[in-house]
Amino acid sequence: VLRIDPPTWEEPGVVPDMTVGKRTARLDARDPADLATLRGLISRADVIVHGYRSDALDQLGLGEAVRAELRPGIVDVALDAYGWTGPWRTRRGFDSLVQMSTGIAGWGLRSGTAERPTPLPVQALDHATGYLMAAAALTGLLHRVSSGAGTSARLSLARTAAELQRLSHLRALPVVTGPAPAPAPEPFDTPWGPARLLPGPFTLGATELRWTRPPRPLGSDAPVW
């Protein structure tokens, strides 16, 4: 996995969590040379996962049709904040903001447990949508193996919010708990100090999630496969 970020983008609070198992590089898609590099990476990719506004890549000359032409059979998984149609389709957004605008943050206020709309204590839309995107990528790879054709999946934080609210009745079900998972016995040596990773939350058949590459700062690697 190769993560590409703009030259000045930083997420210090989440980088140690979000870069485990990945290489990280930087490219400026507005620079012709970097854009050519990015196009070359896409042309050799199996899966591309991106989280831009719905029109952002089109403005850079990397719209869906271009990506499919660069890499026939690519599995293309896209995320935005407010969906792919309608007046908010190009609006920026992030988890807590979408919780506010979709009404999730108002649950506590309406139930009398909060004095004002308050987002959930976890980034539920990010986590839930991330699992859906992973499922879309795996489904796309399976489809390509069986048919040779690529796939395009579009997800949004707002749609995930709607689905979670539709399942709100599940709050009445008992919570299933178990023993806390044991972290990996051998720590990773990271730029932030030694870190022990918890095991993955699921398996794919007999295949367990595992990582051999420790987390690293953004831009630590060259933009090559």
Side-chain angles (χ1 to χ4, degrees), residues 7 18 51-52 57 61 71 77 80 98 108-109 114 120 122 129 143 155-156 168 174-175 178 180 189 196 205 215:
M18 299 305 299
Y52 295 95
L57 291 183
R71 178 63 164 95
V77 183
D80 71 2
V98 178
L109 178 64
L120 298 172
V122 296
T129 311
H143 180 73
L155 300 93
S156 73
S168 60
V175 176
D189 184 19
R196 298 175 68 191

Side-chain angles (χ1 to χ4, degrees), residues 80-207:
D80 71 2
Y82 291 107
W84 301 84
T85 60
W88 281 24
R89 65 187 181 278
T90 59
R91 180 172 292 198
R92 291 180 175 89
F94 52 89
D95 187 303
S96 299
L97 186 62
V98 178
Q99 286 191 40
M100 296 291 285
S101 57
T102 57
I104 288 178
W107 282 353
L109 178 64
R110 292 193 298 271
S111 66
T113 58
E115 296 181 355
R116 60 180 180 269
T118 306
L120 298 172
V122 296
Q123 299 292 284
L125 305 184
D126 281 348
H127 287 278
T129 311
Y131 284 117
L132 292 173
M133 295 173 78
L138 293 173
T139 302
L141 288 171
L142 179 62
H143 180 73
R144 190 172 71 193
V145 168
S146 61
S147 70
T151 56
S152 175
R154 291 179 169 182
L155 300 93
S156 73
L157 297 179
R159 177 56 185 265
T160 300
E163 293 298 320
L164 291 177
Q165 291 181 86
R166 189 171 64 86
L167 299 174
S168 60
H169 63 282
L170 296 179
R171 290 178 297 170
L173 298 178
V175 176
V176 178
T177 60
E186 297 297 328
F188 269 143
D189 184 19
T190 81
W192 303 277
R196 298 175 68 191
L197 302 180
L198 292 173
F202 61 88
T203 60
L204 183 64
T207 303

